[in-house]
């Protein structure tokens, strides 16, 4: 299999589509997916309809709340 075919298969995998990098929501829950291969932990800011909160997240998917309570989340440029 060529490198191009491998990259296409990986990018189109169901896991990549279901769990995009960064903030995403399902019907009921909000998540932040820290896509990294270096094991780093980062600080994200969560807009949760009150004073925003800061949370340290590691690699992979982290549940950050119920979808109706979270308006967004983003990386704030710092590790933790």
């Amino acid at each position: 299999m060529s490198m191009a075919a491998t990259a296409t298969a990986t990018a189109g995998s169901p896991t990549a589509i279901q769990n995009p990098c960064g903030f995403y929501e399902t019907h009921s829950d909000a998540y932040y997916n820290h896509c990294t291969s270096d094991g780093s932990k980062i600080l994200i800011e969560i807009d949760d309809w009150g004073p925003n909160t800061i949370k340290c997240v590691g690699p992979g998917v982290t549940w950050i709340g119920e979808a109706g309570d979270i308006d967004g989340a983003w990386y704030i440029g710092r590790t933790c």
Side-chain angles (χ1 to χ4, degrees):
M1 181 181 285
S2 72
M3 290 295 275
T6 302
T8 302
T10 302
S13 71
T15 302
I17 294 168
Q18 292 174 2
N19 300 329
C21 295
F23 172 75
Y24 70 95
E25 294 180 320
T26 65
H27 179 67
S28 59
D29 296 294
Y31 299 92
Y32 191 91
N33 187 8
H34 175 36
C35 297
T36 185
S37 60
D38 67 5
S40 63
K41 294 181 180 179
I42 61 168
L43 290 173
I44 62 169
E45 185 169 347
I46 302 169
D47 184 353
D48 53 8
W49 299 104
N52 289 359
T53 57
I54 304 293
K55 182 175 182 94
C56 179
V57 297
V61 176
T62 301
W63 182 82
I64 57 173
E66 295 180 15
D69 295 336
I70 307 294
D71 194 34
W74 54 91
Y75 171 55
I76 61 171
R78 298 190 337 231
T79 57
C80 52

